[in-house]
């Protein structure tokens, strides 16, 4: 009823408004590159730090890796407001769950909480999420929740606008049971490629390692992000890192 009455009131030759989830005018989008990878003993999460509003970079140093619990983190892409709201609700639900169960949340349970919010509100949200963590039952796990709310347990996951540029790279160079150092090198190199090709990704690289012995955060400034082909000349005069070699 609403759509038909609107169509009658619109001038001839005017197209009807788009339906489905999309950014509102002025809404902040985290056009981004995010990824999480399992390795032998845990998981590593990585993300760029650029937040954009159209062609304007609203924040150069955004932290897109949000803790849901001590042992589980979430990577956010899409609408900044939508993903922050989901993360906030899941943090609350996890705190309640842990208080009642008197034990640490599992990665699978946390991922299902995020999925329920994303799927039940899929027509109103623009949120691509990756949940990763370590627990005593399953070890390191990565759960992908793309737009629409599907939930999949995967050995590694990539997301955001920059991910389209690195599917081939990740398929070729990911391998199971990498060491922590190898997994971190893989994540940084993949994000460097995505950031160099995707105008909506950039800034610095943040990583979080989650394993049995705890959580370790790391920060790689933009001028130390490995240069890729086509960037070498631009990086040389500022002392940038050597080009990525694989």
């Amino acid at each position: 009823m609403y759509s038909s009455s609107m169509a009658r009131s619109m001038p001839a030759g005017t197209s009807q408004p788009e339906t489905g989830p999309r950014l509102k005018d002025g809404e902040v989008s985290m056009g981004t590159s995010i990824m999480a990878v399992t390795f032998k003993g845990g998981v590593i999460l990585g993300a760029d730090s650029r937040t954009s509003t159209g062609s304007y970079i609203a924040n150069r140093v955004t932290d897109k890796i949000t803790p849901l619990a001590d042992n589980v983190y979430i990577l956010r892409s899409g609408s900044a407001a939508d993903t922050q709201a989901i993360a906030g609700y899941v943090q609350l639900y996890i705190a309640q769950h842990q208080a009642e169960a008197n034990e640490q949340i599992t990665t699978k349970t946390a991922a299902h909480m995020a999925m329920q919010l994303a799927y039940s509100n899929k027509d109103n949200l623009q949120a691509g999420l990756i949940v990763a963590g370590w627990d005593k039952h399953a070890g390191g796990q990565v759960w992908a929740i793309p737009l629409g709310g599907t939930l999949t347990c995967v050995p590694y996951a990539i997301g955001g606008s920059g991910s389209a540029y690195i599917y081939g790279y990740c398929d070729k160079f990911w391998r199971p049971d990498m060491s922590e150092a190898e997994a971190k090198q893989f994540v940084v190199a993949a994000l460097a490629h995505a950031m160099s090709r995707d105008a909506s990704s950039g800034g610095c690289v943040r990583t979080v390692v989650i394993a049995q012995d705890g959580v370790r955060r790391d920060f790689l400034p933009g001028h130390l992000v490995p240069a890729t082909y086509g960037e070498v000349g631009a990086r040389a005069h500022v002392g940038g890192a050597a080009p990525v070699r694989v």
Side-chain angles (χ1 to χ4, degrees):
M1 178 67 73
Y2 173 80
S3 59
S4 61
S5 61
M6 175 181 284
R8 287 196 297 270
S9 64
M10 295 175 67
T14 303
S15 60
Q16 294 191 27
E18 298 178 8
T19 58
R22 57 192 176 91
L23 291 178
K24 305 175 184 68
D25 292 338
E27 188 173 7
V28 176
S29 169
M30 292 198 303
T32 185
S33 299
I34 56 175
M35 66 185 301
V37 177
T38 57
F39 65 87
K40 192 172 183 178
V43 294
I44 180 168
L45 301 84
D48 76 315
S49 64
R50 177 172 294 177
T51 295
S52 55
T53 308
S55 60
Y56 177 75
I57 299 174
N59 192 340
R60 297 182 300 142
V61 289
T62 306
D63 188 356
K64 304 173 185 178
I65 311 177
T66 303
L68 298 178
D70 291 341
N71 61 315
V72 182
Y73 280 61
I74 189 169
L75 289 158
R76 304 178 293 111
S77 68
S79 164
D82 293 348
T83 57
Q84 285 173 354
I86 290 174
Y89 277 113
V90 176
Q91 287 170 343
L92 173 63
Y93 297 154
I94 288 177
Q96 293 175 334
H97 175 86
Q98 291 185 146
E100 294 174 1
N102 196 30
E103 67 175 3
Q104 203 171 50
I105 194 82
T106 65
T107 309
K108 180 178 179 179
T109 301
H112 275 78
M113 290 178 178
M115 178 272 292
Q116 289 289 346
L117 287 169
Y119 181 77
S120 59
N121 297 281
K122 61 184 177 181
D123 292 331
N124 302 307
L125 299 177
Q126 188 178 59
L129 309 168
I130 300 173
V131 178
W134 185 95
D135 62 73
K136 62 183 180 181
H137 302 287
Q141 283 190 318
V142 173
W143 293 82
I145 311 174
L147 294 175
T150 303
L151 180 64
T152 311
C153 186
V154 290
Y156 76 90
I158 57 178
S161 56
S163 66
Y165 299 92
I166 57 172
Y167 273 96
Y169 180 92
C170 293
D171 286 343
K172 181 175 182 179
F173 293 108
W174 180 85
R175 55 188 175 81
D177 293 329
M178 288 188 287
S179 68
E180 179 181 331
E182 290 171 333
K184 187 172 182 179
Q185 182 181 18
F186 169 68
V187 167
V188 171
L191 290 174
H193 279 286
M195 291 162 63
S196 69
R197 301 299 181 188
D198 178 33
S200 297
S201 300
C204 58
V205 172
R206 300 179 192 274
T207 58
V208 173
V209 176
I210 309 174
Q212 184 176 5
D213 58 353
V215 176
R216 295 180 295 280
R217 273 188 174 268
D218 198 8
F219 173 83
L220 188 65
H223 68 282
L224 294 181
V225 174
T228 59
Y229 181 79
E231 290 189 311
V232 179
R235 295 281 183 89
H237 72 283
V238 294
V244 175
R245 291 184 174 88
V246 291

